[in-house]
Structures are given as structure tokens and as C-alpha cells.
Amino acid sequence: MDMIDKFMHAVLSITFFVFFLHYRLFTSLVATARSLFKENVSGKVVLITGASSGIGEHVAYEYARRGACLAVVARREHRLRQVAAVCEIIGSPEVVYIVGDVAKMEDCQQFVEATVSYFGHLDHLVTNAGVTPVCMFQDYDDITKASPAMEINFWGSVYSTYYAYGHLKKSKGKIIVIASSTGWLFAPRLSFYSVEISVMPLESACECGKAMVAGSCRGDNYLTVPHWYEWTKLWKVFCPGIMDRWIGFLLMPCNSHNEVPTKKLTHFVNGLTQFLSS
Ligand SMILES: NC(=O)c1ccc[n+]([C@@H]2O[C@H](COP(=O)([O-])OP(=O)(O)OC[C@H]3O[C@@H](n4cnc5c(N)ncnc54)[C@H](OP(=O)(O)O)[C@@H]3O)[C@@H](O)[C@H]2O)c1
Ligand SMILES: *[C@@H]1O[C@H](CO)[C@@H](O)[C@H](O)[C@H]1NC(C)=O
């Protein structure tokens, strides 16, 4: 058994490294080829959950710029109305906004059906609605306070997909799932967030939205924004201890004011930028 174990270990590790390099080369060639044949979403019907602010709002704007018809969903009606108005100004032929809570199964059924009965079909579903509860596990006085993260981030995506699936199959459409790097980089104070799928503002919501829609039109299976963050997956796989300690160090409060080193670092960089530009 020991011999077999050693043999398998050697074979799999060597083939992995040889395969990995070729695979990376292959996937970048495929990505280049795909960008030549990217999907034209003009006139297509796109349903976006959590489109009233943040990344979802900017994903809506990018689809609008490309001429897609939109159904935008969230709980805050006044924000949705504003987003819908902007989408129409910047290029969407038609936008409907639907007030709904993705944590409720009946709402998901209702907003999918409303979209399809209004536009006649559905081409893309973007499951983006999500919340980020920031709390140390031991600081929850009532553990049921943690459940909305699972209801919204996890079940919200599942319910929306469940009701949209048949329509997307008919149109040979796409499902775009917005997840988070905390799925592989487990961060302190984000326990319930990490179990499904960032903490540091590494990219603006606007740039994220643009990159995500471009990726969806290219047909990318996976997209990491910002792109360099993809390397953290390898770090996590090969040096999990180092990665966990580093993230723990960056995100754990280091004084009684609950300040984390990343906040201090951001203040320092902002101060330096202001100083240099003045
Ligand atoms: N910000 C980051 O650094 C980051 C990084 C990686 C991944 N993400 C993911 O990106 C997605 C969007 O995040 P964001 O940073 O743009 O957050 P955000 O600005 O807080 O936006 C969240 C959106 O989701 C909606 N939403 C929340 N709960 C909902 C519910 N129960 N039903 C329907 N809509 C709901 C909110 O609208 P209403 O309140 O009006 O309902 C809002 O439009 C999330 O899934 C998040 O996990 C964010
Ligand atoms: C996309 O499709 C629309 C109509 O379906 C067409 O008018 C437009 O020229 C197309 N754009 C590109 C870049 O092919």
C-alpha cells in the first residue's frame, strides 16, 4: 500500500504541474478566441436580482449600455425606479422594475414569471442579491440573526435559478452567479458569508459590473475581478496556512476601537495619495 501511495503521489503531482501550465495556456487562448465571437445582448432579456445598488446596479448599467431589455429586482422600490430610469437613458430599450425579496420563494417565482410574461422570454439571469454580515462567530448573541445570509445569498440564488431554469433552457440562455473570493479565502468575522460563496474594496462596483457583463458575453465559465485575485486560489491550495494567517492578520481588530489593519492601511494610502497630489 505504501508503494502505491508513493507512486500515486508522484504521478499525480508531476502530471498536475505539467498539465497545469498547458491548461493555463489553453484557457487563455480559448478566452482570446471567445472574445472574437462574443454574444450580442442587444434586445435580449436580462433579469438581475439585487440591482438597486452596488455591483448589481452597475451590471444593469452595463447591460443597458449594450442595449439589453432589463428586469431589475430588489426590495427598495425607490432605488429600483432610479436605476431603471438611468438604464433607459443609457441605452436599454425597455426596463421593468419588480419589488421582491429573494429570500421568499414565492417572490422569486413571481418576479421570474412577471419578467417572462412582460418580455415573452428570458435570456440571462444574474443572481447577485446578497448581504454581508460582519460579526465574529462568538459575538452572535442570537444565532438566528445569522440566517438571513443563507436565506438571501444562498437560497435566494437557488430559488431564482429554480424558477428561471425552464425559461433559460428554452432560450439557451445563461445564468450569471455573483459569488465572492471569501468562498476560498475564509475571513474572520465573515463566517456565514464564507460558507456560501470581499472585504477589501479592490475594484469599484462600476468596473466589476463592466467586467462581469463582458465575461458573460464572452461565455466565460469563471471570472475573477480583479483578475490578479485568481492567484490567491493557488496560494490557498498550496500554502493554506500562510494564506489563513495573512487574512486573519489583515482583518482581525487590532485595538479596542475595533480597527482592523486593512482600515489603517487604507487610511495611510489615502493620506499618502492626497499628500502626493497636493
Ligand atoms: N462588495 C464586495 O466587496 C463584494 C465582493 C464579492 C462579492 N460580492 C457579492 O456581490 C453581490 C452584491 O454585493 P454588493 O457589494 O453590490 O452589495 P450591496 O451594494 O449591498 O447590494 C446588494 C443588493 O442586493 C439587494 N438585496 C439584498 N437583500 C435582498 C433580498 N432579500 N432580496 C432582494 N434583493 C436583496 C440589495 O437591494 P435591497 O436592499 O433594495 O433589497 C442591493 O441591491 C453580493 O452577492 C455579494 O456577496 C460583493
Ligand atoms: C447587435 O444586434 C443588434 C440587433 O439585434 C444589431 O442592430 C447590432 O448591429 C448588433 N451589434 C453588433 C456589434 O453586432
Side-chain angles (χ1 to χ4, degrees):
M1 280 311 279
D2 204 36
M3 274 303 287
I4 296 175
D5 187 46
K6 281 193 177 129
F7 176 74
M8 290 307 288
H9 190 80
V11 168
L12 288 178
S13 52
I14 293 165
T15 48
F16 175 77
F17 282 106
V18 174
F19 175 76
F20 180 75
L21 294 175
H22 290 92
Y23 178 75
R24 289 303 299 187
L25 189 68
F26 174 73
T27 49
S28 35
L29 285 176
V30 169
T32 313
R34 272 187 174 154
S35 49
L36 299 175
F37 303 101
K38 53 184 184 280
E39 182 181 359
N40 178 358
V41 288
S42 168
K44 296 223 170 155
V45 180
V46 181
L47 167 60
I48 305 164
T49 68
S52 63
S53 63
I55 295 170
E57 175 184 353
H58 288 277
V59 166
Y61 295 156
E62 187 55 24
Y63 271 112
R65 273 183 216 110
R66 292 171 182 239
C69 299
L70 297 172
V72 287
V73 174
R75 296 165 304 181
R76 285 169 295 169
E77 185 173 1
H78 68 285
R79 282 291 307 147
L80 281 181
R81 204 178 311 127
Q82 290 165 352
V83 171
V86 174
C87 287
E88 283 187 344
I89 293 168
I90 63 180
S92 180
E94 208 154 20
V95 187
V96 289
Y97 66 85
I98 308 165
V99 177
D101 182 344
V102 295
K104 295 182 182 147
M105 210 188 327
E106 59 279 12
D107 281 21
C108 295
Q109 179 172 25
Q110 192 265 332
F111 63 67
V112 169
E113 295 309 327
T115 304
V116 175
S117 63
Y118 188 86
F119 291 110
H121 66 284
L122 178 63
D123 296 295
H124 288 197
L125 165 71
V126 183
T127 69
N128 162 79
V131 289
T132 310
V134 180
C135 186
M136 289 294 279
F137 185 80
Q138 63 266 34
D139 293 341
Y140 277 103
D141 50 0
D142 171 8
I143 196 60
T144 58
K145 283 186 188 155
S147 54
M150 291 303 285
E151 300 293 337
I152 299 169
N153 301 16
F154 179 74
W155 285 109
S157 294
V158 176
Y159 297 149
S160 320
T161 304
Y162 177 71
Y163 290 110
Y165 182 75
H167 301 294
L168 291 169
K169 202 164 177 191
K170 230 183 273 173
S171 66
K172 294 196 167 65
K174 289 177 182 165
I175 304 167
I176 294 93
V177 181
I178 311 296
S180 168
S181 57
T182 55
W184 68 89
L185 299 176
F186 311 135
R189 305 186 298 144
L190 290 172
S191 328
F192 285 94
Y193 186 68
S194 302
V195 288
E196 319 115 23
I197 40 170
S198 165
V199 192
M200 292 175 276
L202 293 160
E203 189 64 279
S204 70
C206 177
E207 290 306 318
C208 285
K210 283 184 185 165
M212 284 164 183
V213 177
S216 123
C217 291
R218 272 196 310 268
D220 292 356
N221 288 324
Y222 294 94
L223 174 76
T224 308
V225 190
H227 198 53
W228 67 264
Y229 227 64
E230 207 166 297
W231 289 101
T232 61
K233 288 181 197 164
L234 282 187
W235 276 87
K236 175 71 188 185
V237 170
F238 292 113
C239 323
I242 294 179
M243 220 48 200
D244 291 347
R245 271 169 199 273
W246 173 239
I247 290 169
F249 162 74
L250 286 178
L251 298 171
M252 282 295 281
C254 56
N255 55 29
S256 53
H257 305 298
N258 244 9
E259 276 215 334
V260 293
T262 35
K263 198 170 162 191
K264 281 188 169 175
L265 199 69
T266 312
H267 283 166
F268 174 74
V269 172
N270 285 347
L272 193 69
T273 321
Q274 264 172 15
F275 174 76
L276 291 176
S277 61
S278 65

